[in-house]
């Protein structure tokens, strides 16, 4: 405990301003997101090039999410043992190996292995950058910091396909993958050079199992809301294009709708962080899930580009409002001396939802109709709003003290500290 106190003292005396993290954290995050955004639609095309069917290509792309889910818990242990900088370096190497495997893959098996490595890299990278922000940013600014971090990634992901279009035109799908290689290397080097706070992330002998068991109540209550949030976020990426095809929209119209929805999402990033810090986690999370529920509920009633576009904008608004929310709540309730392991388990709850959401859309649509999947998602988002109202904390005081017990107790007060 004394070691951690020594590490945190300088941060209390000289708190890190968000502006000082621009070039060391936020810009590298946007760069990383740019490569990921450019490459995301190309992995399915790469699978088709290797002879996969449309269904098989979808399964191979989904392996990226599976790799993230499988690595979330080990990532916590990795960060706890080697610190944020070492974990970012390792994550960059894993990502680079996965991308190169996809580029040179002679068959679908190698491509599948590359997708798993990409997911693993995302888990390690994501946890390391989160624990770093939590360590160096004052708790009262945590919402803005984590929302800006997530927003930087979303901005890069939004811009990536436009920046990679020329490379894809000249080199085919591998052009975007080479761009992702370059951005992974550059962003990894930039973030490995960040100010070291590695000792603060290390926990000293706690096993993953013990951390999960000790925090099972938090993971079962707040974690249920995180899972439902992940499902609501990811399912829209699967449901919206399917619904656009169902009502007969052209690919160009579908792309435009996605672009406008994504722009609303990105524009909400920083305001969402300000709202998180000023009004609290509950006051941010509940409206975001209500917007998700409303967006999914009205989608089956849309039949034109305009009406579907309005539903998509509402879902983009919901996603933007929730920007940084799950990372912030996890940071609020993480035990200080077992932070990395706890956050690994916390991220797992959200990533399971991210993985399960699109699968639920496919399964429900296969046994019923596409509109039934939208209604099911609306109900699950509404359940998420109830869970957040019941268990999410409110505003975290400037001193950063947060009684973890409040996170598992119902409260009518939206400013628990």
């Amino acid at each position: 405990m004394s070691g951690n106190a020594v590490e945190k003292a300088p941060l209390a005396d000289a708190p890190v301003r968000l502006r000082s993290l621009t070039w060391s954290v936020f810009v590298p995050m946007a760069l990383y997101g740019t490569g990921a955004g450019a490459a995301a639609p190309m992995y399915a095309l790469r699978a088709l090039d290797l002879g996969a069917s449309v269904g098989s290509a979808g399964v191979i792309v989904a392996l990226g999410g599976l790799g993230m889910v499988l690595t979330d818990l080990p990532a916590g242990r990795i960060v706890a043992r080697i610190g944020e900088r070492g974990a970012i370096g390792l994550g960059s190497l894993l990502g680079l190996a996965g991308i190169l495997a996809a580029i040179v893959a002679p068959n679908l098996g190698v491509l599948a292995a590359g997708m798993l490595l990409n997911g693993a890299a995302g888990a390690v990278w994501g946890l390391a950058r989160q624990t770093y922000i939590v360590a160096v940013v004052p708790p009262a600014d945590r919402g803005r910091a984590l929302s800006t971090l997530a927003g930087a990634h979303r901005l890069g992901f939004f811009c990536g396909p436009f920046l990679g279009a020329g490379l894809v035109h000249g080199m085919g799908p591998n052009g975007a993958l080479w761009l992702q290689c370059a951005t992974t290397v550059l962003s990894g080097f930039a973030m490995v050079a960040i100010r070291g706070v590695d000792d603060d992330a290390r926990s000293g002998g706690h096993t993953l199992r013990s951390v999960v068991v000790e925090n099972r109540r938090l993971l079962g209550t707040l974690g249920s809301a995180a899972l439902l949030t992940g499902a609501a976020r990811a399912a829209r990426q699967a449901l919206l294009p399917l619904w656009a095809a169902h009502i007969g929209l052209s690919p160009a119209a579908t792309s435009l709708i996605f672009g406008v929805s994504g722009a609303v999402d990105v524009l909400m990033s920083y305001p969402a962080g300000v709202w998180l810090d000023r009004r609290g986690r509950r006051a941010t999370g509940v409206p975001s899930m209500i917007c998700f529920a409303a967006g999914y509920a009205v989608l089956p009633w849309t039949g034109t580009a305009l009406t579907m576009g309005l539903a998509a904008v509402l879902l983009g608004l919901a996603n933007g409002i929730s920007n940084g929310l799950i990372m912030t709540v996890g940071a609020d309730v993480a035990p200080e001396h077992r932070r990395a392991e706890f956050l690994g388990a916390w991220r797992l709850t959200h990533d399971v939802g991210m993985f399960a959401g699109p699968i639920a859309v496919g399964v429900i649509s296969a046994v019923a109709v596409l509109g039934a999947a939208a209604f099911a998602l609306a109900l699950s988002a509404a359940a998420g709003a109830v869970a957040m109202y019941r268990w999410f904390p409110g505003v975290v005081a400037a001193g950063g003290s947060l009684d973890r017990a409040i996170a598992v107790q119902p409260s009518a007060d939206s400013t628990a500290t």
Side-chain angles (χ1 to χ4, degrees):
M1 181 175 293
S2 60
N4 280 321
V6 171
E7 286 291 336
K8 294 184 78 64
L11 297 177
D13 295 338
V16 172
R17 294 183 178 273
L18 298 190
R19 188 177 300 176
S20 69
L21 299 176
T22 298
W23 293 103
S24 60
V25 177
F26 300 140
V27 169
M29 196 66 253
L31 193 61
Y32 185 86
T34 299
M42 296 300 115
Y43 286 110
L45 299 182
R46 188 76 182 97
L48 294 176
D49 287 345
L50 294 173
S53 66
V54 173
S56 298
V59 170
I60 288 174
V61 171
L63 290 176
L66 179 61
M68 185 172 290
V69 168
L70 294 176
T71 314
D72 275 327
L73 285 175
R77 198 59 177 160
I78 289 169
V79 174
R81 290 198 174 204
I82 66 177
E84 291 92 348
R85 289 183 297 176
I88 288 170
L90 177 61
S92 299
L93 290 175
L94 286 174
L96 190 60
I99 301 163
L100 291 175
I103 291 173
V104 304
N107 54 56
L108 293 174
V110 175
L111 178 60
M115 293 305 300
L116 286 170
L117 284 174
N118 271 337
V124 176
W125 240 84
L127 182 61
R129 72 188 189 228
Q130 181 182 3
T131 56
Y132 177 76
I133 289 289
V134 174
V136 302
V137 173
D141 295 332
R142 189 175 285 159
R144 276 169 288 178
L146 291 171
S147 291
T148 304
L149 181 71
H153 182 270
R154 292 183 187 185
L155 176 62
F157 202 90
F158 176 75
C159 296
F162 299 102
L163 298 176
L167 292 172
V168 173
H169 179 73
M171 303 171 61
N174 278 348
L177 302 190
W178 281 116
L179 176 61
Q180 189 182 22
C181 270
T183 57
T184 297
V185 171
L186 291 173
S187 57
F189 272 121
M191 289 198 71
V192 165
I194 58 178
R195 170 186 174 186
V197 291
D198 295 349
D199 287 341
D200 190 58
R202 299 177 186 173
S203 62
H206 293 279
T207 65
L208 283 173
R209 185 176 183 277
S210 68
V211 172
V212 171
V213 169
E214 289 171 9
N215 296 280
R216 62 188 179 276
R217 194 178 179 195
L218 280 170
L219 294 171
T221 51
L222 281 79
S224 65
L227 187 149
L228 293 171
T229 303
R233 287 171 166 175
R236 71 191 185 107
Q237 302 293 339
L239 183 59
L240 287 178
L242 291 176
W243 188 257
H246 175 70
I247 63 176
L249 296 186
S250 67
T254 303
S255 179
L256 180 61
I257 288 171
F258 262 84
V260 173
S261 177
V264 172
D265 183 356
V266 171
L267 288 173
M268 284 301 300
S269 295
Y270 189 77
V274 173
W275 190 259
L276 267 173
D277 288 332
R278 292 185 179 177
R279 298 298 180 185
R281 292 31 168 166
R282 188 183 303 118
T284 304
V286 172
S288 74
M289 295 307 285
I290 290 174
C291 287
F292 271 123
Y296 284 125
V298 302
L299 186 64
W301 305 102
T302 64
T304 66
L306 176 61
T307 54
M308 184 191 160
L310 293 174
V313 166
L314 183 55
L315 291 171
L317 177 66
N319 205 50
I321 294 173
S322 69
N323 191 32
L325 171 69
I326 301 303
M327 288 194 295
T328 304
V329 172
D332 289 340
V333 300
E336 183 177 352
H337 306 301
R338 299 182 295 281
R339 180 187 298 143
E341 293 96 333
F342 175 85
L343 290 179
W346 174 252
R347 289 178 64 88
L348 177 62
T349 63
H350 178 265
D351 290 345
V352 166
M354 292 281 288
F355 182 61
I359 293 176
V361 170
V363 171
I364 296 172
S365 301
V367 301
V369 294
L370 193 57
F375 283 126
L377 288 166
L379 290 174
S380 68
V386 173
M388 288 181 180
Y389 180 79
R390 180 176 176 84
W391 289 307
F392 265 29
V395 178
V396 176
S401 60
L402 174 68
D403 184 356
R404 300 174 79 234
I406 67 169
V408 291
Q409 296 292 337
S411 174
D413 180 11
S414 63
T415 57
T417 57

